[in-house]
Amino acid sequence: MQGTRARSVGIVAGLVAALAFATSGPVVKPLLAAGWTPGAAILVRLWLGTLLLAGPAAWALRGRWPALRAEWRTVVGLGLLGVAGASTFYFLAVDRLPVAVALLVEYTGPLLLLGWSWFRTRRTPSRATLAGAALAMAGLVLVLDVTGSLELDALGLVFAFVAAIGNAAYFALTARPIALPPVSLAGSAMLVGALTVTLVALAGILPVAAPRVQVTMLGAQVEWFVPLLVVGAVPTAFAYGVSAVSVRLLGERLASFLALMEVLFAVLLAWLLLGEAPLAIQVLGAALVVVGVALVRSGAASDGELRDGMPEPVVPAVREPART
């Protein structure tokens, strides 16, 4: 699948994934407020996501297991940084910050990708790219409202910026043209992420507390496992699987911009589900961030980094198992 059709499919998949990802913070935050630790919530989320993705991931491989072995470095890197790192630190940030703020800080990831590309290639980005990056950072300052009435937890901001590094790694590693199907990459990386968070929790580094409580969800009192089932299915298994397809089709730069729609979706969901109405200055800042990163993407064409649809990956052929 190439050209216009591939790009269209990638954009639709990216928007659907962004909406699914955006449900994570608003759904899990009442559970955190009721006594669950971020460590417990992320453990359940990743293991549920792993179980739900196991079938589609295995089906996509259909016996091509050597591809998984050949790309183990990408799988491990994505699992450690893009899944375990980004998810865990985002949940830690949400525990201390409004959902919209935590998400917007995390989504400075596209700017980190821009900086890394500049450092790696030693090529100065276009004026549009640099202007867009500056505008996006100015918008971020407004969203954080550093001179206004919004008080923000400093440690929560640190957690959110670490999540941004994981976010950048997610797009960079998922976009690699490898033989492993996108859904299989997402499923295997999810398993690595779940195992990593489990080991960290067992070592006592990540506190785990999971009381049996009731929480308010969509105006109704529900048992603790209801939001966990939603988080494990929608913003985890479904979102990561669909997002992996989008990133592979669009490339890291365009896909990371498209993923910023998650910020807008999350602001609306946090407002509707949690009553966290954004301040006027935050709305303006969010608009500047989106416009700024849009300029970054428009400048990507002159930077030679925006691809008109992803070509088929050039990878060594994987030998099919003998059939009897």
Side-chain angles (χ1 to χ4, degrees):
M1 195 185 310
Q2 298 183 14
T4 302
R5 183 164 177 258
R7 187 168 60 251
S8 299
V9 171
I11 289 173
V12 171
L15 289 173
V16 171
L19 179 58
F21 274 128
T23 64
S24 175
V27 171
V28 83
K29 187 154 188 175
L31 199 60
L32 300 179
W36 274 62
T37 60
I42 195 64
L43 270 174
V44 176
R45 175 190 184 184
L46 292 185
W47 279 114
L48 278 174
T50 298
L51 291 174
L52 292 172
L53 273 176
W59 182 84
L61 277 175
R62 290 197 292 278
R64 293 178 293 165
W65 299 106
L68 182 60
R69 184 170 60 249
E71 302 296 344
W72 71 268
R73 292 180 180 83
T74 300
V75 171
V76 172
L78 182 60
L80 291 176
L81 298 174
V83 177
S87 299
T88 300
F89 282 99
Y90 171 62
F91 270 37
L92 289 171
V94 165
D95 193 35
R96 293 172 173 268
L97 298 171
V99 170
V101 173
L103 197 57
L104 273 165
V105 176
E106 181 191 12
Y107 268 90
T108 58
L111 300 181
L112 297 180
L113 286 174
L114 172 64
W116 171 247
S117 176
W118 190 351
F119 173 79
R120 180 172 53 86
T121 63
R122 298 294 193 274
R123 291 176 54 190
T124 303
S126 66
R127 291 181 179 178
T129 299
L130 293 177
L135 191 61
M137 293 308 297
L140 182 61
V141 171
L142 294 181
V143 170
L144 296 180
D145 192 25
V146 292
T147 61
S149 59
L150 185 64
E151 295 184 3
L152 298 174
D153 183 272
L155 186 57
L157 290 175
V158 172
F159 289 150
F161 277 114
V162 175
I165 297 174
N167 175 272
Y170 168 78
F171 286 105
L173 292 171
T174 304
R176 293 187 61 192
I178 60 177
L180 199 60
V183 174
S184 302
L185 175 61
S188 53
M190 188 76 65
L191 175 59
V192 172
L195 289 171
T196 301
V197 176
T198 300
L199 292 176
V200 172
L202 290 175
I205 300 173
L206 189 65
V208 174
R212 298 179 64 179
V213 294
Q214 287 191 333
V215 297
T216 301
M217 187 174 176
L218 296 176
Q221 288 292 113
V222 298
E223 295 294 332
W224 57 272
F225 57 82
V226 175
L228 288 173
L229 289 175
V230 174
V231 167
V234 180
T236 307
F238 177 77
Y240 273 98
V242 175
S243 174
V245 174
S246 174
V247 177
R248 188 72 64 83
L249 288 172
L250 299 177
E252 64 189 53
R253 302 273 305 266
L254 180 55
S256 63
F257 161 66
L258 193 62
L260 280 176
M261 291 302 297
E262 180 185 346
V263 175
L264 303 183
F265 292 142
V267 170
L268 294 176
L269 288 174
W271 190 358
L272 294 173
L273 300 180
L274 303 179
E276 292 182 358
L279 303 174
I281 195 170
Q282 289 180 285
V283 174
L284 175 60
L288 290 178
V289 170
V290 173
V291 171
V293 181
L295 279 175
V296 171
R297 295 306 172 266
S298 69
S302 55
D303 292 337
E305 297 178 7
L306 187 61
R307 287 170 283 184
D308 184 18
M310 287 288 292
E312 292 295 325
V314 180
V315 294
V318 178
R319 180 176 297 175
E320 293 284 349
R323 301 184 184 276
T324 58

